[in-house]
Amino acid sequence: MRDLPGFRRKLGDFADGLVRKDEKLVGRELAIRIRLHITEDGGVAADTLIASSGVAAADSAAVRLARTVRFTPGRFEGEIVPMYVVMPIRFIFPE
């Protein structure tokens, strides 16, 4: 996935805040997958958590952040159409 403007920074800020709240995350890696319904204007209309990290705070924050992303609308036969994408998010907390 390409780097979405500002999204990587938002994730980094969130990850820093998580470590400050829960030092047990240091040295861990969290993987989250979210299914997003993208509208014709590139906004997120709905989301579904399809793979949890096992850390509820990380899951809910990742979903909130994913909803802020603006996508390029999907196209089918030249027409702009709604689409679904699966967004993987991975937090790595180095030791």
Side-chain angles (χ1 to χ4, degrees):
M1 184 174 87
R2 75 185 205 288
D3 187 18
L4 300 166
F7 189 70
R8 191 174 294 258
R9 181 189 51 75
K10 288 179 187 178
L11 282 175
D13 292 346
F14 167 73
D16 290 343
L18 261 184
V19 169
R20 282 192 296 275
K21 290 180 184 175
D22 187 352
E23 291 186 12
K24 292 181 281 188
L25 292 174
V26 174
R28 289 187 59 194
E29 180 175 323
L30 304 178
I32 302 162
R33 289 182 36 196
I34 305 165
R35 181 176 183 251
L36 302 171
H37 176 217
I38 310 304
T39 63
E40 292 93 338
D41 68 355
V44 177
D47 55 68
T48 304
L49 181 68
I50 57 176
S52 172
S53 67
V55 177
D59 293 346
S60 63
V63 168
R64 283 194 314 274
L65 288 172
R67 290 186 68 84
T68 69
V69 176
R70 298 297 298 181
F71 290 85
T72 300
R75 288 191 175 268
F76 180 73
E77 296 182 352
E79 298 292 321
I80 294 175
V81 295
M83 64 180 178
Y84 288 91
V85 298
V86 174
M87 176 182 274
I89 298 175
R90 187 170 52 144
F91 294 108
I92 300 171
F93 301 97
E95 293 187 32

